[in-house]
C-alpha cells in the first residue's frame, strides 16, 4: 500500500498520516529517515572532534591572543585619558613607550643585581652548608632521626659534589634555556598583538556591534563598553597590587638580608598577578628560600607575608579594586587551576580576567534581565 506521497512503507521511514487533533485541524505528517539522521549525527560528531583537535593545537595561540586583548583593555583607560589632549595614535605611542621603558628599567635594575647576587650565592653555598651542619637545630634533627637522617644528608652532598652528575644538571640548564627562549618569543608575540588591539580596539567593537540587530545595537554597545571598561580597570588594579607587593618585598628582603632580594621581589610581583593563589604560592616559595640564610630569616619572612596577605585582602585590594568587579575566592582558585592546566602560567594569568568578564556579563546582562521578569509570560488561548 502506498501513502498519498507515493512512498512505500519500509523500516527506514516512518509516516504519520494526517488525522484530526481534537477538531483543531490536521496534524502534520512526520517522516524519520534513519539513515539520514545517522549520517548527520556521525558527521556532527566528526566535526566536533576536528574542532576540538584544532582548539587543542591552537591553545597556546589562543592564550596569547587572550592575554594581549586583556593587556590592551588594561592600557586603554590610560590611552583614553591621554586622548583628551592628544590624538589617539600619539596617546597609544606614549602609553606603549612608557610601558616598555618601565619594563626595560626594571630589567636593567634587576639583572645586574641578580647576576651579582647569584654569583655570591654560588660562592657562599659551601659556607651555608657548613653553617647548617654546625647549627643547633640540625644537631637536634640528627639526634631525633638518627643515622638514617645523616646518611640521607651525606648522599645529597655527595650527589652535588660529584662532577659526573653535572650532565643531569646540564640537561636542566638546557631546558631552562629553551624555556627562556620560548618566553622571549611569547613576550614578543603578545607585545605585537597588544599594539594591534590598542590601535584597532574601537574598530573591533564597531565590527562586533554589526552582528547585533539594529534595534538592540545601542543597548548592546552600552553593555559592551561597561564590560570592557570594568575588565580594563580590573587588569590595571591587579597590576597595581602586584607592584605594591614587589616593591615592598624588595625593601623587606633587603632589610632582613634575604637571599636574592631582587629575584624574590620579581617572583612576588609575578605571583601577585594571580589573585589569592599567586600571592600565597609566591610567599611560600620565598619563605622556603629564606632558609638558605637561617631559620630565623625564614620565620621572619613567613610572619611578614602572613601579615601582608591580610592587609592586601582587607585593605589594599578593596581600595584598589573598588571600581572593578569582585571575583569570589572559589572562582579565583578554579579559574587559576583550570587556566594553568590549559595554558601554563599564561593560561593562569588570563583565566582570572576571563572569569571577571564572565561575572560582569552575568551582573550586567543576566541579572537585570531576570529582575525585569516580574510576572509569568502570558499563556496563549487555546
Amino acid at each position: 500500500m502506498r501513502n498519498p506521497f507515493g512512498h512505500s512503507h519500509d523500516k527506514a521511514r516512518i509516516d504519520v498520516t494526517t488525522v484530526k487533533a481534537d477538531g483543531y485541524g490536521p496534524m502534520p505528517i512526520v517522516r524519520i529517515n534513519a539513515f539520514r539522521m545517522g549520517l548527520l549525527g556521525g558527521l556532527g560528531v566528526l566535526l566536533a572532534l576536528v574542532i576540538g583537535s584544532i582548539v587543542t593545537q591552537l591553545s597556546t595561540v589562543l592564550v596569547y591572543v587572550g592575554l594581549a586583548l586583556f593587556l590592551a583593555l588594561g592600557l586603554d583607560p590610560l590611552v583614553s585619558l591621554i586622548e583628551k589632549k592628544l590624538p589617539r595614535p600619539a596617546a597609544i605611542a606614549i602609553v606603549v613607550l612608557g610601558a616598555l621603558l618601565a619594563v626595560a628599567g626594571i630589567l636593567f635594575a634587576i639583572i645586574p643585581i641578580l647576576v651579582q647576587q647569584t654569583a655570591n650565592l654560588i660562592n657562599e653555598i659551601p659556607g651555608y652548608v657548613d653553617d647548617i651542619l654546625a647549627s643547633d637545630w640540625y644537631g637536634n634533627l640528627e639526634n631525633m632521626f638518627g643515622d638514617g637522617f645523616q646518611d640521607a644528608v651525606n648522599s645529597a652532598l655527595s650527589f652535588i659534589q660529584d662532577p659526573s652528575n653535572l650532565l643531569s644538571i646540564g640537561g636542566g640548564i638546557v631546558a631552562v634555556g629553551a624555556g627562556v627562549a620560548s618566553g622571549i618569543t611569547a613576550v614578543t608575540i603578545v607585545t605585537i598583538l597588544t599594539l594591534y588591539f590598542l590601535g584597532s580596539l574601537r574598530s573591533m567593537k564597531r565590527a562586533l556591534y554589526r552582528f547585533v540587530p539594529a534595534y538592540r545595537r545601542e543597548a548592546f554597545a552600552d553593555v559592551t563598553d561597561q564590560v570592557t571598561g570594568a575588565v580594563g580597570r580590573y587588569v590595571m588594579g591587579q597590576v597595581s597590587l602586584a607592584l605594591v607587593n614587589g616593591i615592598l618585598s624588595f625593601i623587606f628582603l633587603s632589610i632582613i638580608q634575604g637571599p636574592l632580594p631582587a629575584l624574590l621581589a620579581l617572583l612576588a610581583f609575578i605571583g601577585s598577578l594571580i589573585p589569592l593563589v599567586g600571592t600565597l604560592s609566591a610567599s611560600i616559595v620565598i619563605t622556603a628560600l629564606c632558609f638558605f640564610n637561617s631559620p630565623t630569616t625564614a620565620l621572619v619572612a613567613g610572619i611578614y607575608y602572613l601579615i601582608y596577605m591580610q592587609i592586601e585582602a582587607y585593605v589594599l585590594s578593596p581600595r584598589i579594586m573598588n571600581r572593578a568587579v569582585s571575583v569570589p575566592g572559589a572562582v579565583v582558585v578554579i579559574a587559576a587551576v583550570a587556566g594553568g592546566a590549559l595554558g601554563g602560567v599564561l593560561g593562569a594569568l588570563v583565566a582570572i580576567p576571563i572569569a571577571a568578564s564572565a561575572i560582569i556579563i552575568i551582573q550586567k546582562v543576566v541579572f537585570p534581565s531576570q529582575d525585569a521578569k516580574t510576572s509569568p509570560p502570558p499563556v496563549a488561548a487555546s
Side-chain angles (χ1 to χ4, degrees), residues 128 248-261 264 286-287 289-305:
Y128 286 144
L248 292 180
S249 295
F250 179 75
I251 295 173
F252 170 75
L253 293 171
S254 299
I255 292 174
I256 66 173
Q257 297 181 352
L260 303 174
L264 297 186
I286 293 172
T287 302
L289 291 176
C290 285
F291 264 103
F292 278 104
N293 280 18
S294 67
T296 303
T297 304
L299 178 62
V300 173
I303 294 174
Y304 164 78
Y305 280 108

Side-chain angles (χ1 to χ4, degrees), residues 201-215:
L201 192 58
R202 292 182 178 177
S203 61
M204 291 169 60
K205 287 182 179 181
R206 288 194 296 267
L208 178 63
Y209 300 157
R210 297 291 299 274
F211 288 95
V212 180
Y215 67 93

Side-chain angles (χ1 to χ4, degrees), residues 205-273:
K205 287 182 179 181
R206 288 194 296 267
L208 178 63
Y209 300 157
R210 297 291 299 274
F211 288 95
V212 180
Y215 67 93
R216 293 182 178 177
R217 196 167 294 166
E218 184 177 356
F220 178 79
D222 179 65
V223 172
T224 302
D225 290 338
Q226 292 183 42
V227 170
T228 55
V231 172
R233 291 191 297 270
Y234 178 87
V235 174
M236 291 300 295
Q238 201 60 48
V239 171
S240 301
L241 287 175
L243 282 174
V244 171
N245 190 13
I247 294 172
L248 292 180
S249 295
F250 179 75
I251 295 173
F252 170 75
L253 293 171
S254 299
I255 292 174
I256 66 173
Q257 297 181 352
L260 303 174
L263 178 61
L264 297 186
L266 181 61
L267 177 62
F269 170 79
I270 295 175
S272 291
L273 292 176

